[in-house]
Amino acid sequence: MIARTLREFSRALEKREISSIELTRFYLDRIERYNPKLNAFITLDPERSLAQAKEADARIAAGRAEALTGVPLAQKDIFCARGWRTSCASRMLADFVSPYDSTVVERFNAEGVVLLGKTNMDEFAMGSSNENSYFGPVRNPWDTDRVPGGSSGGSAAAVAASLAPAATATDTGGSIRQPSALSGVTGIKPTYGIVSRYGMIAFASSLDQGGPIAWTAEDCALLLNAMSGFDERDSTSLDRPKEDYLRELSSEKGGKPLAGLKIGLPKEFFGEGCERGVMDRAMEALAVYRELGARTVEISLPNMELSIPAYYVIAPAEASSNLSRYDGVRYGYRAPEYGDIDDMYGKTRSQGFGAEVRRRILIGTYVLSHGYYDAYYLQAQRVRRLIANDFSAAFECCDIIAGPTTPTTAFRIGEKTADPVRMYLSDIYTIAVNLAGLPGLSHPCGFSEGLPVGFQLIGGYFSEARLLEAAHRFQQATDWHLCRPTAFDGV
Ligand code: GLN
């Protein structure tokens, strides 16, 4: 039962070979058994999940099923879901039960998807290791002394250990792709504006983008079909015709399936700073892509090295503004004892936010303050434009840009917590993509010393279908995406 993808489950449900209740119970049992080892889920409500499964079964029986009806899905705890605690892994929201659904949850509900539980994450999605959660770190199923990546570490670990067939995630600087790479699963961050941010708790609004994590690119396409599309409640949602992200995957191609595809290899991704084992696997992945018919060309993204400094001005600036709403007045945590209102704000915010969130608020407030705004914030915005221009120039000579997703495999819990800058470097290959608003995908491409390695594909705006197709062809030719950590096998 365990080695099955969402696509296969969806077919089995449709043919009534399995019921949604059975499938949901299967995953709830696995969660009960293995979650104590991983801490991937922070909120569960089995009764609610099973009630949804029952409804889905009735819908299937009535012949009104859609592609995902009856399939269980884990939701990153950044997506508001009505009646569910939605904490963003913060003490600030530890008792917050959402009175409404985010657009993403609403769309899954409309399709009859079962919400299996809410996954752990770095507090307010700030982090690369899932160690910044108020609910404790998530462990990597491939080696429980190591991090699963972050901030969507709970979602990635849950999918990797088969505690859920797939999950939602968000990516502000790499948080879908980096944990997918470190946990050995596939994830896609779409073009900015494709997935509605309504009800997705804001970190850095001009960078945040939701997307799916699953075993396969095909499953990601299936999920993106349901998640994406215009939403008038999000002012940055793009009003474009609805796409079928599966369309390129099923087309039969004679000869080599990726013939004509030109892959650009930025020399900045293949230089120093990348672990040997990761680089070797990336090279092998490229050899597979060449066998599938792709050609490779060397390109350059000259402003790449400025992406981390620019991001760590822009993202904290936006976060400091977004997080000002948590003041202890309207909702969320309030310090139990305080003097006047200023004291209440101060105590509430210093007790309610963890260290990394406070660090970001301080940086953000500083770079936006009078006298520093031009020197930091505006300068970072100019660098952001240069980075976007680098990508546009690169896409003049290639269709897709590729390289390793991360410079290292999963690191040990505690290894980088004392040195935030070292932690920030985990996203060196992913952050520029968010600054430019482009889509990026990570898929497994092998192992280094027993730990998964991820391969990243970056495309031009709205090229999700092309990225998913390339990854799908790769997955048809290899089986890295089907490898599962043995410690979590069996039920
Ligand atoms: N690791 C990056 C950060 O800490 C990106 C996080 C994300 O994409 N949400 O900001």
Side-chain angles (χ1 to χ4, degrees):
M1 167 89 150
I2 154 165
R4 300 190 68 171
T5 63
L6 206 62
R7 195 76 201 273
E8 289 168 320
F9 282 140
S10 146
R11 292 205 176 110
L13 283 161
E14 196 187 309
K15 290 199 211 126
R16 319 266 294 267
E17 291 165 1
I18 187 168
S19 70
S20 176
I21 290 264
E22 284 168 329
L23 198 53
T24 304
R25 278 223 173 90
F26 170 80
Y27 281 105
L28 288 172
D29 287 348
R30 287 187 62 80
I31 293 169
E32 191 175 301
R33 172 153 179 198
Y34 292 119
N35 196 51
K37 290 199 181 79
L38 295 174
N39 200 23
F41 283 89
I42 50 181
T43 302
L44 293 159
D45 189 343
E47 258 175 55
R48 201 179 270 268
S49 306
L50 289 166
Q52 264 189 317
K54 200 172 155 200
E55 265 177 51
D57 281 333
R59 182 163 164 181
I60 296 167
R64 289 186 290 107
E66 290 183 60
L68 293 171
T69 307
V71 161
L73 183 71
Q75 288 285 353
K76 182 175 180 177
D77 202 27
I78 198 167
F79 288 99
C80 286
R82 190 153 52 93
W84 285 80
R85 177 172 75 164
T86 301
S87 74
C88 231
S90 179
R91 183 180 192 190
M92 193 56 97
L93 292 174
D95 297 316
F96 175 70
V97 175
S98 177
Y100 75 108
D101 281 326
S102 54
T103 297
V104 163
V105 168
E106 189 179 272
R107 292 199 172 155
F108 281 125
N109 283 345
E111 234 183 278
V113 171
V114 174
L115 205 174
L116 204 50
K118 308 292 293 290
T119 56
N120 204 347
M121 53 184 282
D122 282 300
E123 184 179 4
F124 287 106
M126 298 176 192
S128 309
S129 65
N130 222 302
E131 291 165 292
N132 297 336
S133 166
Y134 175 60
F135 300 97
V138 176
R139 293 174 179 274
N140 190 317
W142 296 93
D143 177 347
T144 51
D145 290 334
R146 292 176 188 266
V147 305
S151 65
S152 314
S155 288
V159 176
S162 299
L163 304 193
T168 58
T170 60
D171 192 311
T172 304
S175 283
I176 292 178
R177 293 159 288 155
Q178 188 259 14
S180 294
L182 268 44
S183 301
V185 290
T186 305
I188 182 167
K189 170 221 162 314
T191 304
Y192 181 78
I194 290 281
V195 171
S196 169
R197 291 184 298 108
Y198 178 78
M200 191 180 104
I201 296 174
F203 160 16
S205 308
S206 77
L207 300 156
D208 298 342
Q209 187 59 200
I213 291 182
W215 284 20
T216 65
E218 190 180 31
D219 282 0
C220 286
L222 199 60
L223 290 161
L224 200 54
N225 275 352
M227 288 174 86
S228 58
F230 176 64
D231 178 10
E232 60 183 15
R233 294 174 298 187
D234 169 4
S235 60
T236 56
S237 170
L238 292 166
D239 194 357
R240 333 178 49 246
K242 187 104 177 123
E243 279 194 59
D244 175 10
Y245 296 106
L246 284 164
R247 68 181 188 275
E248 303 289 343
L249 274 56
S250 43
S251 65
E252 278 306 320
K253 296 207 171 130
K256 302 204 167 195
L258 295 179
L261 183 75
K262 224 162 144 191
I263 300 184
L265 308 177
K267 60 177 198 290
E268 295 78 9
F269 284 15
F270 289 87
E272 278 168 27
C274 184
E275 237 172 52
R276 183 65 196 270
V278 172
M279 194 45 72
D280 288 350
R281 293 301 89 74
M283 290 304 187
E284 288 159 20
L286 280 171
V288 174
Y289 276 108
R290 285 193 198 98
E291 274 165 42
L292 291 168
R295 276 187 303 141
T296 53
V297 286
E298 193 185 295
I299 58 160
S300 175
L301 299 167
N303 293 294
M304 205 56 213
E305 61 176 8
L306 299 176
S307 60
I308 296 233
Y311 174 91
Y312 280 98
V313 171
I314 293 168
E318 295 186 19
S320 71
S321 164
N322 275 327
L323 271 57
S324 65
R325 71 190 69 175
Y326 306 107
D327 57 6
V329 176
R330 283 160 290 193
Y331 59 94
Y333 179 79
R334 179 187 293 177
E337 282 167 35
Y338 49 87
D340 62 3
I341 188 153
D342 284 332
D343 191 42
M344 191 281 281
Y345 288 153
K347 288 205 168 101
T348 294
R349 287 169 66 82
S350 32
Q351 292 165 17
F353 291 134
E356 183 62 25
V357 174
R358 292 200 303 270
R359 181 177 300 128
R360 306 272 179 124
I361 292 172
L362 287 173
I363 296 172
T365 312
Y366 180 81
V367 300
L368 289 177
S369 58
H370 183 71
Y372 296 103
Y373 182 88
D374 287 358
Y376 293 105
Y377 185 71
L378 276 188
Q379 192 65 5
Q381 292 291 18
R382 290 191 190 104
V383 170
R384 182 175 191 175
R385 167 55 56 196
L386 293 179
I387 289 169
N389 291 349
D390 279 0
F391 279 110
S392 305
F395 286 123
E396 296 283 314
C397 31
C398 64
D399 307 306
I400 282 181
I401 294 172
T405 310
T406 55
T408 69
T409 53
F411 40 92
R412 287 186 188 284
I413 291 177
E415 193 178 319
K416 299 190 183 176
T417 35
D419 186 349
V421 175
R422 250 184 95 213
M423 185 72 89
Y424 297 168
L425 288 169
S426 310
D427 300 313
I428 183 105
Y429 303 139
T430 52
I431 271 185
V433 174
N434 300 72
L435 289 169
L438 295 167
L441 178 154
S442 177
H443 68 70
C445 66
F447 293 84
S448 169
E449 294 173 19
L451 296 168
V453 176
F455 192 71
Q456 183 176 216
L457 304 176
I458 302 165
Y461 299 108
F462 314 121
S463 65
E464 288 79 8
R466 181 181 249 170
L467 297 183
L468 289 161
E469 187 204 354
H472 177 65
R473 304 288 176 196
F474 181 93
Q475 294 183 334
Q476 284 181 315
T478 58
D479 55 12
W480 300 119
H481 59 293
L482 298 176
C483 298
R484 296 278 68 97
T486 46
F488 299 90
D489 261 347
V491 189

